Amino acid sequence: MYKNLIAENKEGILYITINREDKLNALNIELLQELKQVVATIYSDASIKGAILTGKGAKAFAAGADIAEFAKFSESEGVALSASGHDIFNSIERCPKPFIALVNGFCLGGGCELAMACHMRIASENAKFGQPEVNLGIIPGYGATQRLVQLIGKAKAIELLLTADMISANEAKDLGLANHVLPTIEDAMKKCEEIINKIASKGPIAVAKIIECVDAHFSKTENGFEKEIKMFGWCMTTEDFKEGTTAFVEKRKAIFTGK
Ligand code: COA
């Protein structure tokens, strides 16, 4: 169905694989547009409980935006490319269902920015993270100057952004960039599935509202504390809240319906 991606719904988990192995899964414009469509299905398809995004093969998650494609861009084309990337990556960050990056191999530039837009990053030991844009005389255009600071703090973020140093999976974990590091890609996949299935057993409305409130912390227009107060009260109007509290009192497992 897609030229640059593989998207498969297996038992409610959407497995998205960036499928440009010969180009180290570099993100071209067509691929990003396909990703936009796939992300929209996660919002709209009730059978999907979460998504795992990875790169085809063992060598790369994604080695960045496709350099060959934007090498001759004008200023306005650069602005349009960056804006459309932001739009897609924001829709991943705001996705109401868990969206996990399984980071295998090179996770550079736009690839690292894509992984950072996901809710969590589960890495295999061969993963390498970095923002090498400065080597090309350009700055990151898909959010790294903001999300890397959010995730690891200004001091280390600015060091990685200015030096273009690549770091190992374990260094990324020590910095808080990777949530977990597993020995192999298969182990990392199992971890992603385990996390999504665990979250799927919780109240889906609460899951979605937590994502919204956490994002509000980084918003310049919203007050995260005020949002939390409102959403806490609003959750009490839901059937899921009644079911969750009743199940607790009745000492049984809650059956949430997302209503
Ligand atoms: N954009 C476009 N093509 C890319 C790419 C990118 N970001 N990263 C890798 N490729 C392509 C290479 O051009 C090469 O294609 P070819 O076989 O048609 O020549 C293929 O993927 C394999 O890459 P290669 O460089 O030969 O692999 P390597 O193992 O020697 O090096 C890297 C791996 C990741 C160190 C190297 O590919 C690299 O530095 N990539 C660019 C990283 C980057 O600057 N990303 C930020 C972009 S804004």
Side-chain angles (χ1 to χ4, degrees):
M1 187 179 168
Y2 298 105
K3 199 168 146 201
N4 304 282
L5 293 174
I6 303 165
E8 296 169 290
N9 180 347
K10 285 192 227 152
E11 293 173 25
I13 298 181
L14 191 71
Y15 296 82
I16 310 165
T17 308
I18 303 169
N19 191 20
R20 296 190 76 213
E21 198 176 353
D22 59 329
K23 296 288 175 196
L24 302 188
N25 299 318
L27 309 172
N28 61 13
I29 295 170
E30 189 180 52
L31 185 156
L32 289 178
Q33 289 312 315
E34 290 178 352
L35 185 59
K36 185 177 180 165
Q37 290 174 37
V38 174
V39 174
T41 67
I42 305 171
Y43 279 69
S44 62
D45 184 341
S47 77
I48 298 173
K49 55 189 172 187
I52 300 171
L53 171 66
T54 193
K56 185 91 186 287
K59 196 169 170 187
F61 173 77
D66 192 318
I67 299 168
E69 200 173 52
F70 69 71
K72 298 230 158 42
F73 269 16
S74 66
E75 180 178 356
S76 61
E77 286 170 322
V79 168
L81 178 69
S82 177
S84 101
H86 275 272
D87 178 47
I88 298 159
F89 288 18
N90 285 342
S91 73
I92 292 175
E93 184 169 60
R94 294 173 192 156
C95 182
K97 302 172 190 177
F99 203 124
I100 303 181
L102 189 179
V103 182
N104 49 319
F106 291 113
C107 179
L108 305 174
C112 190
E113 291 171 299
L114 177 56
M116 287 194 286
C118 296
H119 299 139
M120 294 170 224
R121 286 143 296 282
I122 311 299
S124 55
E125 249 169 34
N126 74 331
K128 285 192 168 61
F129 295 78
Q131 294 293 154
E133 289 86 349
V134 76
N135 289 336
L136 303 171
I138 198 169
I139 72 166
Y142 294 155
T145 62
Q146 306 304 300
R147 289 198 180 95
L148 194 59
V149 179
Q150 292 170 1
L151 287 167
I152 70 172
K154 182 176 172 182
K156 287 308 290 186
I158 213 155
E159 180 181 339
L160 292 181
L161 290 162
L162 298 186
T163 62
D165 282 348
M166 250 190 251
I167 57 170
S168 69
N170 282 312
E171 285 172 286
K173 181 169 170 245
D174 290 345
L175 291 173
L177 182 54
N179 292 65
H180 299 276
V181 178
L182 283 299
T184 66
I185 296 172
E186 291 73 26
D187 295 328
M189 180 58 89
K190 275 194 202 121
K191 185 74 182 172
C192 293
E193 289 164 344
E194 190 187 297
I195 293 174
I196 290 195
N197 285 325
K198 184 184 274 187
I199 296 171
S201 72
K202 317 295 180 196
I205 295 176
V207 166
K209 293 302 165 194
I210 287 170
I211 292 169
E212 244 180 84
C213 288
V214 170
D215 284 345
H217 174 74
F218 301 104
S219 166
K220 298 278 183 282
T221 53
E222 282 188 300
N223 180 311
F225 285 107
E226 280 169 15
K227 188 169 191 94
E228 183 182 284
I229 291 165
K230 265 196 217 128
M231 289 302 140
F232 179 76
W234 183 79
C235 281
M236 290 176 172
T237 69
T238 66
E239 285 176 25
D240 277 357
F241 172 69
K242 287 185 195 78
E243 167 62 9
T245 46
T246 306
F248 177 79
V249 172
E250 292 175 356
K251 298 192 186 303
R252 63 172 173 82
K253 205 171 175 305
I255 302 164
F256 294 112
T257 57
K259 290 181 188 147

